Structures are given as structure tokens and as C-alpha cells.
Amino acid sequence: MPRQRRVFSAESRAKAVLEVPRGERRLAEIVTEPQIQPNLLRAWKADFLENASMVLGRNRDEDQRARLESERREKEA
């Protein structure tokens, strides 16, 4: 019988990834509780770091758009 793949929510993946840099627990300890394969956690971490700039850049762009929209409304008033 084929083994069914486990699915982890984005929230649980982020929680596990964010525990790594804290250094409070070793990687081996982090993966045992939710039974994550260490290589899977490493892949999540790499993906997280690769895409972090998109998240931070998006927030800056949204802030700039909101600021410009606010300035436009003030000029119209």
C-alpha cells in the first residue's frame, strides 16, 4: 500500500522554519515533535529565505501606494 503524503499548513511550516534561527532548540529537536523530515525543514527554510524579499517588498509597495492615494485625496479636497 502506498504511503500517503502528509500535508503541513503554511502556518505550521512557518512556525517550524522560524524556530531554526532562534537557536533555542537544535534542528533535530524541532523536527521530532511534528515528525518532519530534516531535509523537508531545510527545503522550507530555503524557500522561506528565497521569498522573504517579495513579502517585504510588497509591504513597502503597498505603503507607498497608500501614501500616494492619501496625498491625491488631500489635493482633491
Side-chain angles (χ1 to χ4, degrees):
M1 178 179 278
R3 217 171 142 184
Q4 193 171 20
R5 243 181 130 155
R6 292 183 57 202
V7 177
F8 294 93
S9 70
E11 184 178 331
S12 65
R13 290 188 308 240
K15 182 179 176 182
V17 167
L18 291 172
E19 279 193 60
V20 175
R22 286 188 199 133
E24 296 170 359
R25 299 190 309 164
R26 295 178 308 133
L27 182 108
E29 295 171 321
I30 295 169
V31 298
T32 56
E33 190 175 303
Q35 297 179 341
I36 302 169
Q37 292 295 319
N39 286 336
L40 184 57
L41 180 57
R42 288 183 189 102
W44 292 346
K45 179 183 171 189
D47 189 41
F48 179 84
L49 294 173
E50 182 179 313
N51 293 301
S53 63
M54 288 190 317
V55 172
L56 296 173
R58 183 179 61 222
N59 290 338
R60 184 177 50 226
D61 293 343
E62 290 172 2
D63 290 345
Q64 186 176 8
R65 265 189 238 117
R67 190 172 43 251
L68 291 171
E69 180 65 23
S70 176
E71 289 173 7
R72 184 186 62 78
R73 276 189 246 135
E74 286 177 8
K75 289 178 182 177
E76 290 177 354

